[in-house]
Amino acid sequence: GTTVLNMYGPTETTVNCSQYRIAPDIPIPPGPLPIGGPMPNTRFHVLDDRLELVPPGAAGELYVAGDCLARGYLGRPDMTAARFVPDPFGAPGARMYRTGDVVRWNPDGTLSFLRRVDDQVKLRGFRIELGEVEAVVDRHPAVARSAVIVREDRPGDQRLVAYVVPASGAESPAPAELRRHAAADLPEYMVPNAFVPLDALPLTPNRKLDRRALPAPESSAVSGGRAPRTRQERLLCELFAEVLGVERVSVDDGFFDLGGHSLLATRLIGRVRATFGVDIAIRTLFEAPTVAELTERLGTGEDDGQGAFDILLPLRRKGERPPLFCVHPASGFSWSYAGLMRHLGPDHPIYGLQSRGIAEPGELPTGVQEIAADYLKQVRTVQPTGPYLLLGWSFGGLVAHAMAEQLQRAGERVALLAMLDSFPRLPGSHGGGAGRPAEDAVLSQREFLAGMLDLAGYERAEWDGEPLEYGRVAEILRGQGGILGGLEERHVAALYEVFENNSRLARGHVPGTYVGDLLFFEATLGKPGDAPGPEVWAPFLEGSIERHPVESTHDDMTQPEPLAGIGRILAARLRDFI
């Protein structure tokens, strides 16, 4: 018999700027109550991060405009400028208040509160929605409620920690079980490092989560793996932790699962060589990424590390599903695809394909079709028959398309053709391939060598301004002690020759026709206004083009954050048809 008003309003917009009426004659809607619509003399704008209106039902940040706004924060012009911003939808000089609340419009014209903007965090280069992680953890049948936060109990050591309240009558699930549950639906970087059981979540007096009262996880909660059993394992655990910048590593933790990537892999291999006095190749780390596995491979008489430039590079051999074959960009090598291991399930083997002429001197190929045929011979050594999964970045997209053509002519099934920002030569054009790839215009020798030093992790201030020649670059690289430190002058020269040749072949290649669909990931940053999009592939396909924009430059497509989004879409696609 009572009428209740569910009111919403930040202090900066008076007591309330919206309300939702609940009366005896009005059915209460299921789920969380809406916060209603704007009060008189108040306007609501639900905007994306570019301050553009989002459609009804889509999540966006709430901005409040109208007569209810405060003038600002007393004596804090910086805060005032950040929160009270110009209103692009109002009269000249009008302002709106940025609430920091994420909402969505309902069909009846009311708003539903979803979360705070600051519930999105950035951890090790990845953007993470904490609410999304909590939703997955909460789906475990033995969990009543969870809270997920980022902790930094040691300076520089940020970790994702989940606090779990067990369901009534249930025992708190083991951390290993919760981790398996979360990993089934989340990419590896969103799986909490620790699961801490609590009888109840601590709350503030107004019944909100008291984040400061959440206890630090015990060190044993961070990793459920085994402790080192031998001196070798102990040393390797210390090296893994040192290179990855974490407190501790168990013998069962995977290097790439903990955030390792190709550059860190080269540093780890250098430290392993120096510590154990063994010749071990970077490909060994791809094949044996845990301390336990890598310990077994020490002292097995591997090569001097140049196996990292073999044509077929196993990034992960194990798995029951068809492997994903990843074709290199114009640079010729495919180490950067190692980041996909975090996002594709452990059942998916992953192989990189790399240019001839790097590991051993020899005649370089004269056409993209020749490269495709050569790579298919390598592919069939590990997968004689289809379905085949192909991915190419930049120049590699041209090669992957040619491989798909040749496989179809041989009567094989291609289940996936995917590209990272790869553009063919337009029909009738006389210039190079379309778009922004580096192979469209061959870099100067100095630019290419500078890029190699960037890859090795050197700050440009260390060498900028001095002449860069093959011998000098090899000398600089030797100083770092990693896998690139083993390159001799002839190897550096070979890398540039391969790059120059691939760039030339890209400009002269006109693709044939592939009968099938294309999954295309397009870099959106640094793109000229007149640059073509993935539709330029239409003349060379008999199928659809599915475009996914990636917030990245062309050259950074395999950096951790862009690759996380790419990996999520690839993982979902592979689950759909295999």
Side-chain angles (χ1 to χ4, degrees), residues 250-283:
S250 80
V251 299
D252 301 308
D253 290 327
F255 180 78
F256 299 100
D257 293 339
L258 294 176
H261 49 75
S262 56
L263 178 56
L264 290 180
T266 68
R267 294 176 183 170
L268 177 63
I269 290 298
R271 296 289 289 117
V272 170
R273 289 177 178 173
T275 301
F276 293 94
V278 297
D279 285 333
I280 188 169
I282 192 172
R283 69 164 186 266

Side-chain angles (χ1 to χ4, degrees), residues 323-329 337 340 344 351 353 388-405 407 414-423 514-522 534 537 541 544-548 550 557-558 563 565-574 577:
L324 176 66
F325 295 96
C326 306
V327 187
H328 59 82
Y337 287 114
L340 283 175
L344 303 187
Y351 289 85
L353 289 160
Y388 290 99
L389 310 176
L390 305 175
L391 170 66
W393 175 22
S394 197
F395 173 75
L398 305 181
V399 179
H401 181 273
M403 293 170 67
E405 288 180 65
L407 285 168
V414 178
L416 174 71
L417 175 61
M419 296 182 189
L420 309 184
D421 216 42
S422 178
F423 297 88
Y514 163 66
V515 181
D517 300 332
L518 171 62
L519 180 63
F520 195 95
F521 298 93
E522 182 181 12
W537 277 102
L541 293 170
S544 63
I545 300 174
E546 182 180 329
R547 173 184 176 271
H548 291 276
V550 179
M557 290 289 277
T558 58
L563 203 59
I566 293 168
R568 280 198 300 271
I569 295 169
L570 279 175
R573 179 56 53 85
L574 295 179
F577 57 64

Side-chain angles (χ1 to χ4, degrees), residues 138-189:
D138 288 348
R139 286 201 291 268
H140 190 285
V143 173
R145 188 182 176 194
S146 68
V148 177
I149 66 170
V150 173
R151 297 192 65 101
E152 189 171 356
D153 297 301
R154 294 174 65 249
D157 181 22
Q158 292 187 319
R159 294 182 180 277
L160 200 61
V161 180
Y163 296 87
V164 178
V165 177
S168 178
E171 293 186 6
S172 184
E177 179 185 344
L178 288 171
R179 181 177 177 83
R180 285 192 298 270
H181 168 77
D185 290 323
L186 295 171
E188 181 65 29
Y189 70 90

